[in-house]
Amino acid sequence: MDVVQYDESRRGYRTPPPSGMESSRSRSLKMFDSSPTAGTSEGSSNSSDNTGGQPCHQCRRNDHRVTWCLRCDRRGYCESCISTWYSNIPVEEIQRICPACRGSCNCKVCMRGDNLLKARIREIPAQNKLQYLYSLLSAVLPVVKHIHNQQCFEVELEKRLRGNGMDLGRTKLNADEQMCCNFCRIPIVDYHRHCSNCSYDLCLSCCKDLRDATKLVQDDRGKQFLGRADCRETTSKEVKLSNVHLNILSKLSDWKADGNGSIPCPPKQYGGCSSSVLSLKRIFKMNWVAKLVKNVEEMVSGCKVCDSGDLENISEGKLFQAAHRENGDDNVLYHPLSEDIRSEGIEDFRKQWSRGKPVIIKDIYDVSSMSNWDPIEIWRGVRETTEEKTKDDNRTVKAIDCFDGSEIDIQIGQFVRGYSEGRIHENGWPEMLKLKDWPSPSASEEFLLYQRPEFISKLPLLEFIHSKWGLLNVAAKLPHYSLQNDVGPKIFLSYGMYEELGKGDSVNNLHTNMRDLVFLLVHISEVKLKGWQKTKIGKMQKIFAESDHKGIPGDALNVSSEGDFSKFSPVGDRGDGQYADTDSNANEMLVDPESRVTSQIGVDNLSHEDLNGSSLNSSDSSHSGALWDVFRRQDVPMLIEYLRFHWKKHGDSDHVTDDSVPSPLYDGIVYLNEHHKRKLKELFGIEPWSFEQHLGEAIFVPAGCPFQVRNLQSTVQLGLDFLSPESLGEAVRMAEEIRGLPNTHDAKLQMLEVGKISLYAASSAIKEVQKLVLDPKVGPELGFEDPNLTALVSENLEKMMKRRQVP
């Protein structure tokens, strides 16, 4: 089966990213089905032996023939090491997914890192582990039950259509393949409907939506809507259908569900063949989901999980005020020391986290060791770790210019110098750059593994954040071959400046994410403006402000190298008046003329000291690296309304419609300055939590909380993704929201498969609970009368007790 492009294929397969997850083939088959999918097809037979003298990952020698991993494209294993250490894995399988990607590499470095992490996990008391697992099972149960209910409905319908003796066919997928619905382009979890003639696939959610929309059209009111030119707008207002419903509704003149519930293959213009009825098929084993539901329900019945708590028992020293809303109980954030988490446990963190509030943990590492994270040290470490062929500073990498979001090529050496010394455009405007995809996720992970092996193991909350050993990381339960496993640590390098320029600032635009995120600030470098730069910037900002008063759309100015200020199309305009929704790197700042005037560095107001001194660069703390604004989940609807209103106000109102900006928080195209944050509070009562991130601090952002960041200095951030039980419900809601976005939207390519994640998390947690209570070392500590154990575990415990009594 060929690997093809996501947006062109009948099935949206993608080449899998690097992963450190454990191989499903290496897992025990005891107790429950650990591998719900059966045998896989043969992997690619393309040779990967031409590695250009790259060393073996295991022995670090390069004098043997090395088989290179097609998955991560960064590691290879020589014939000697394969025959010595991995003789049970065929060479073709190692070429397709190497031992490091499988999580089974036993080289010294990998084993050292794993042992350090395992030691941290062993420190967790068994009772706490059991509590974590019950918490996870309680979170995934609604998702697993929903999947099961969908499947039961379709199975009963199929029985009515084909009889009780019908055979539910199984779709065979390679371990590193992913099948997507042809209609909504969302990954299919398990059951789906399939055309045997043209291989069109439809997910169960779209099946339900098509039947619902068909019923609506059969209604007189639905026929009225369908015949109107403004059908989409009217229907969305009066019937409150989702975007997916509306998309289906627009096609119902040619494609409808039959009265008996069956669904024909859609016409050719919609990707089908219209020649047969879609039949029900599956991917996993027949009763795997049903068994999971039964066992999870038995385990969570009556168990106690972490409840959302208040701030009464948290000392004031661990709290700080980050907002000034009228309901004051929501204004403070939890701000403990890393040592507090280590010594006192994670309960206070979980109480705040379950309320959807960000958490700032300070003093995670000794700031005196900041030099270890200098970009030049990272560059040297990556070269040593990955055996880069380019040993000097001339390697070219991609960077984003924050002025207009354009992508540029720059040599590593030049970027590193600019990181500490600053770079300027020819017209004197500061050049703010962010490295793109360097180091890559796999290079970041390997750099940490080889160069900083103790660092990850010392991070707080490993139960949540670790992509392999995190007991409370729902996404960590996915098998190694999942396409969603690119969640290892990533290193981000970018420029920054304390003063807000108003144009081209080094920012991460306002956006939201399905995943929980954590960013640890490990290095900063202050870049100071020179007097002549301040003068020139002040003049430019004054012209920006004057242009706004004349009605030119926000930020629609280009400053040439000769100092000529000429108009240009707004960022994102393709030249045909339509806004491209894929340009998520353009840093559009929503700025009114009023705010331009008040925030500019006015040349007329600058004193002699301002022009020659450094007062403009002064900050409250030399260790402040970034300014964060994080919004509450409940404020998202009004935040979106505000963004759309001002997009129309400052953009091309003749061409901007609700359809052209359907998802401002997923597009990541705007940054709200201080003026707009004030307007948000005045008009809607919306105010973000705002705070500065200091060196050695980690910012935890819950899934679904929109946030934006502006760099106050050049920074190096270490970032990780995870998915906590507390955020799973929000991720499910966002998944349905993303399903309604246009099929070409980037958010669909990055969407978490929360259904599949929940199934594997349930399966893994069940086995972990069994291991804990069956372990003779910890079983007595847990107590054998635990009412949450399944009948199978209780039976196994009883047999074990009898065997112990026989001697």
Side-chain angles (χ1 to χ4, degrees), residues 25 39 234 244 342 438 492 535 549 568 607 610 655 674 691 705 765:
R25 295 189 178 189
T234 305
V244 178
R342 189 75 179 265
W438 192 93
F492 302 97
T535 304
H549 282 297
F568 79 109
S607 65
D610 291 327
H655 296 97
E674 293 301 324
F691 50 87
C705 285

Side-chain angles (χ1 to χ4, degrees), residues 173 178 310 360 765 775:
L173 294 179
Q178 181 186 67
D310 52 35
I360 301 95
D775 189 339

Side-chain angles (χ1 to χ4, degrees), residues 32 70 316 514 726:
F32 291 95
L70 294 175
E316 292 185 3
M514 286 183 69
E726 292 85 352

